[in-house]
Amino acid sequence: MNREHPDEIDAKEIVERVLEVLLEHADKYGGVDYRSVDGRIALEVTRVTDGWKAASRSALRASRDAGVPEGELQNCWLVFASETQSGLKTFLQRVHPLLLQLEAAGEQSFWDQPAQVHVLERGPLFDIYLPLLQAGVERALAAPHHDHADPSHSHRIIPSLGGGGSVGGSDEALAGLVAELGRKPDNPAKLSSSGAEQRHLFVWLDDDSRFDIARPLSRDAPTWDDGQFGLPSLAPRIDPAVTHLWVVHQRSRRGWLWDGTSWRSLEGL
């Protein structure tokens, strides 16, 4: 008999609260995770994450928890690095003072390839570029706030490991998510075989999910958002077996719900 996992129970309780329904564990010997008492709703729970990168991301979280040296950044910075590099436990501690120096020099971006040429030619930013390269920084982009930004906001480094890349908004994040779900054919197959009228797929995101997928819902979603990081504007191109799509970030407790017609924002789950 299959047991319920904590993240499945958590997802079930969210769906029960939002929809005001009662769900029962159904995946005792295979099949969907939950069904409503009347059988009208089926719920399958999954996760989109890069679990094999967890060790590197755990090291980066240790760096974040340790705190950064003194010095207020003028902007938030998106910093991209490889998840395979060493020294991630002190990554933010090494990068933060270098970004302060970049800002003092009037720079708002860093790219590793032109920086390597600059270092070879011993250019004027040699003393900043070399340690950034040694720290494993591939790209760093300043993200200035708009005039309406929250004045209490504290500028910080928002790191991204691996090939997550940047994202221009929620529609791009959704497209990346749908592509990942396409690699999980068992989820729509279980929903299809349930025979339920409403077939809900609940997707957990977490701190190990790709940056370009999780960013709009993560706790690091930018406060300077100009509307690109709100609800998606497009319908998800998912398997027709899925009538409802839930996307929730486990740490931020923020999410989206597609009900087959429109998107709904979920907060404080």
Side-chain angles (χ1 to χ4, degrees):
M1 178 178 292
N2 295 329
R3 289 187 173 185
E4 294 177 272
H5 297 290
D7 60 343
E8 293 173 344
I9 296 173
D10 194 3
K12 178 200 72 168
E13 292 175 348
I14 288 174
V15 173
E16 287 180 327
R17 288 197 305 271
V18 173
L19 299 185
E20 298 182 346
V21 297
L22 182 62
L23 300 174
E24 297 179 333
H25 185 224
D27 182 18
K28 294 181 170 59
Y29 303 100
V32 292
D33 293 319
Y34 298 97
R35 288 178 179 272
S36 61
V37 175
D38 60 8
R40 190 171 60 90
I41 296 175
L43 172 66
E44 179 70 6
V45 182
T46 190
R47 181 179 298 273
V48 170
T49 188
D50 289 333
W52 64 275
K53 298 179 181 177
S56 294
R57 296 179 187 272
S58 177
L60 184 59
R61 283 194 290 272
S63 176
R64 182 187 292 115
D65 293 342
V68 296
E70 293 184 1
E72 177 68 21
L73 291 167
Q74 298 174 21
N75 306 286
C76 284
W77 283 79
L78 308 179
V79 178
F80 303 88
S82 171
E83 78 281 354
T84 61
Q85 71 185 56
S86 60
L88 287 172
K89 285 187 177 180
T90 59
F91 182 74
L92 298 180
Q93 286 70 33
R94 287 180 290 157
V95 170
H96 183 269
L98 297 171
L99 295 182
L100 288 173
Q101 293 179 51
L102 269 186
E103 290 183 334
E107 299 292 322
Q108 291 198 328
S109 64
F110 170 87
W111 301 79
D112 57 352
Q113 293 184 358
Q116 290 169 6
V117 175
H118 187 95
V119 167
L120 288 173
E121 297 176 346
R122 298 193 69 85
L125 298 177
F126 174 91
D127 291 336
I128 305 175
Y129 281 3
L130 179 59
L132 280 171
L133 290 170
Q134 292 172 334
V137 175
E138 297 174 352
R139 285 183 293 153
L141 306 172
H145 287 217
H146 297 311
D147 292 339
H148 63 270
D150 182 358
S152 67
H153 173 76
S154 178
H155 301 307
R156 64 193 186 280
I157 299 172
I158 304 173
S160 174
L161 295 181
S166 60
V167 59
S170 295
D171 286 335
E172 289 184 26
L174 175 64
L177 174 67
V178 169
E180 290 295 319
L181 292 177
R183 300 185 178 95
K184 297 173 175 283
D186 58 315
N187 293 320
K190 290 179 181 180
L191 287 169
S192 179
S193 63
S194 72
E197 177 185 344
Q198 292 186 17
R199 300 173 298 278
H200 296 242
L201 179 60
F202 191 106
V203 183
W204 282 118
L205 303 178
D206 57 35
D207 289 342
D208 291 327
S209 300
R210 273 174 35 195
F211 178 81
D212 60 340
I213 291 176
R215 185 187 179 203
L217 292 175
S218 75
R219 62 178 181 174
D220 289 329
T223 58
W224 60 90
D225 176 22
D226 59 1
Q228 296 301 307
F229 290 90
L231 286 171
S233 64
L234 303 175
R237 302 183 65 178
I238 51 179
D239 191 293
V242 179
T243 62
H244 293 66
L245 178 63
W246 302 69
V247 186
V248 178
H249 195 284
Q250 198 160 30
R251 181 177 293 246
S252 73
R253 313 303 289 185
R254 301 172 61 236
W256 302 325
L257 169 58
W258 171 256
D259 65 4
T261 303
S262 60
W263 287 101
R264 171 183 174 183
S265 179
L266 306 171
E267 303 285 344
L269 298 173

